[in-house]
């Protein structure tokens, strides 16, 4: 009879895309991973994976076997959860990647309730404004803001993201307000920390504007503080500056234009079919917390 551990290793190799990535997830060396997959193939008498120096791919037999293995592993996890009452509990360590500012403002303040509900779970949260390689870096999930394009990952939308052009009243008092997009060329603009173009939507449809300004930084939080202090005009998310807009510390600029509506706050994870309870429960927690009309919009 095939070792169930070999089945899990095989499934992890396929979902992660490489022997080394699966090894990191399972705390095994690539050599051990390769040996266990080879043992499984020898027992079955067929090749499951085609290996090259850069990637692996499933054979026809491997694809059919993989589809069935996922069902077996999911059934085992469900049976264990039923027998031990863990269907509503999370255990182990949950590794999460999230954007720096959003994590500080809208994840950290809400962790107490989740940890109280799941006392046997340890959270390992890494904040960074760079997109982490979830599989290679060993994360269970990532919270991301943007347009998601990596089809090898599964994404669940948690909330919409609105971005507005804004400035401090002190800046407006000194420089006035732009009336049209072209007027921005005569103003101090504060590009995002990664120097991205501004993708805007308004009465003229969609456009891309290249902001130019005297401040260059790798920190989104520096841009946030600079615009509040009156240094210029910035494109900021409402989750980031909604409080300042309501308090009058910032005013909206060119209100007929907003950032691209294709942006979203999403939870991203490697596989829908082999989803640990700890990942599902945390994603459900965030989805209930934010919702289609998040609290920072109310």
């Amino acid at each position: 009879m095939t070792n169930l551990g070999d089945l899990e290793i095989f499934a992890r190799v396929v979902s992660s895309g490489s022997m080394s990535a699966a090894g990191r997830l399972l705390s095994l060396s690539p050599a051990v991973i390769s040996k266990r997959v080879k043992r499984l193939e020898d027992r079955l008498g067929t090749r499951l994976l085609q290996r090259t120096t850069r990637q692996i791919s499933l054979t026809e037999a491997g694809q059919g076997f993989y589809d069935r293995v996922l069902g077996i592993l999911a059934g085992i996890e469900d049976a264990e959860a039923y027998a031990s009452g863990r269907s509503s509990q999370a255990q182990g360590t949950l590794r999460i990647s999230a954007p720096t500012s959003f994590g500080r403002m809208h994840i950290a303040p809400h962790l107490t309730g989740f940890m109280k509900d799941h006392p046997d779970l340890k959270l390992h949260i890494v904040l960074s404004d760079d997109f982490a390689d979830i599989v290679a870096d060993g994360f269970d999930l990532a919270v991301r803001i943007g347009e998601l394009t990596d089809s090898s990952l599964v994404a669940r939308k948690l909330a919409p993201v609105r971005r507005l052009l804004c400035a401090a009243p002190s800046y407006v008092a000194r420089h006035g307000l732009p009336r049209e997009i072209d007027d921005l060329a005569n103003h101090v603009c504060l590009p995002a920390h990664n120097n991205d173009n501004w993708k805007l939507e308004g009465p003229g449809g969609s456009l891309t504007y290249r902001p130019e300004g005297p401040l260059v930084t790798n920190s989104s939080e520096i841009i946030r503080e600079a615009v509040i202090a009156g240094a210029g005009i910035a494109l900021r998310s409402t989750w980031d500056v909604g409080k300042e807009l309501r308090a009058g510390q910032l005013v909206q600029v060119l209100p007929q234009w907003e950032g691209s509506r294709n942006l979203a706050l999403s939870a991203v994870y490697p596989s829908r079919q082999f989803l640990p309870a700890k990942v599902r429960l945390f994603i459900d927690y965030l989805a209930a917390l934010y919702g289609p009309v998040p609290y920072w919009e109310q």
Side-chain angles (χ1 to χ4, degrees), residues 216-232:
V216 177
T217 175
N218 67 342
S219 170
S220 177
E221 294 192 342
I222 286 182
I223 298 297
R224 178 184 187 276
E225 296 306 315
V227 69
I228 293 173

Side-chain angles (χ1 to χ4, degrees), residues 2-16 18 22-23 25-28 33 36-37 39-40 65-66 69-70 72-74 76-77 80 274 276 278:
T2 301
N3 187 311
L4 286 175
D6 290 347
L7 298 184
E8 182 179 4
I9 287 173
F10 169 72
R12 290 296 187 185
V13 168
V14 175
S15 64
S16 64
S18 72
L25 290 172
L26 297 171
S27 298
L28 296 172
I33 295 289
R36 296 285 288 273
V37 172
R39 183 174 73 179
L40 180 61
F65 187 69
Y66 176 64
V69 164
L70 287 179
I72 293 169
L73 294 174
I76 291 172
E77 183 178 0
E80 289 179 345
F274 192 51
K278 60 185 180 182

Side-chain angles (χ1 to χ4, degrees), residues 47-296:
R47 181 176 289 278
L48 301 173
L49 300 173
Q50 297 287 2
R51 304 164 178 81
T52 68
T53 56
R54 293 188 176 183
Q55 63 182 6
I56 61 169
S57 61
L58 286 165
T59 64
E60 183 178 354
Q63 182 64 64
F65 187 69
Y66 176 64
D67 293 341
R68 289 159 177 79
V69 164
L70 287 179
I72 293 169
L73 294 174
I76 291 172
E77 183 178 0
D78 182 65
E80 289 179 345
Y82 172 81
S84 62
R86 290 193 290 113
S87 58
S88 62
Q89 293 294 318
Q91 296 181 335
T93 299
L94 180 62
R95 286 179 49 82
I96 304 163
S97 171
T100 303
S101 296
F102 187 87
R104 177 179 58 80
M105 298 173 68
H106 299 292
I107 295 179
H110 306 292
L111 291 176
T112 302
F114 184 78
M115 292 189 294
K116 183 178 180 181
D117 291 340
H118 305 283
D120 295 328
L121 180 67
K122 294 181 179 180
L123 298 180
H124 183 176
I125 302 177
V126 176
L127 299 184
S128 173
D129 290 328
D130 296 324
F131 275 13
D133 186 327
I134 298 177
V135 174
D137 295 336
F139 289 105
D140 295 295
L141 77 148
V143 176
R144 289 183 175 172
I145 299 170
E147 300 180 25
L148 302 176
T149 58
D150 189 349
S151 61
S152 68
L153 300 174
V154 181
R156 176 177 171 184
K157 183 177 178 180
L158 300 175
V161 172
R162 290 179 65 223
R163 288 182 172 175
L164 311 176
L165 291 165
C166 56
S170 60
Y171 175 86
V172 175
R174 296 194 311 272
H175 301 279
L177 285 171
R179 297 183 180 276
E180 303 291 341
I181 288 293
D182 291 343
D183 294 341
L184 289 175
N186 300 317
H187 284 265
V188 178
C189 294
L190 302 173
H193 72 285
N194 52 9
N195 217 27
D196 281 347
N197 293 333
W198 289 349
K199 296 180 180 180
L200 303 172
E201 296 184 19
S206 300
L207 63 83
T208 299
Y209 182 81
R210 178 71 175 178
E212 299 289 344
L215 178 60
V216 177
T217 175
N218 67 342
S219 170
S220 177
E221 294 192 342
I222 286 182
I223 298 297
R224 178 184 187 276
E225 296 306 315
V227 69
I228 293 173
I233 297 173
L235 181 66
R236 306 301 297 177
S237 299
T238 53
W239 62 258
D240 188 34
V241 296
K243 180 179 178 181
E244 287 73 20
L245 286 165
R246 290 189 294 271
Q249 291 178 271
L250 291 173
V251 295
Q252 190 171 356
V253 174
L254 295 172
Q256 67 271 35
W257 292 91
E258 293 191 4
S260 170
R261 298 184 181 93
N262 293 327
L263 300 181
L265 173 72
S266 303
V268 181
Y269 49 98
S271 173
R272 189 190 307 276
Q273 294 176 292
F274 192 51
L275 187 65
K278 60 185 180 182
V279 177
R280 172 178 55 81
L281 289 168
F282 189 74
I283 293 175
D284 288 346
Y285 181 78
L286 294 183
L289 175 64
Y290 305 139
V293 183
Y295 60 81
W296 55 79

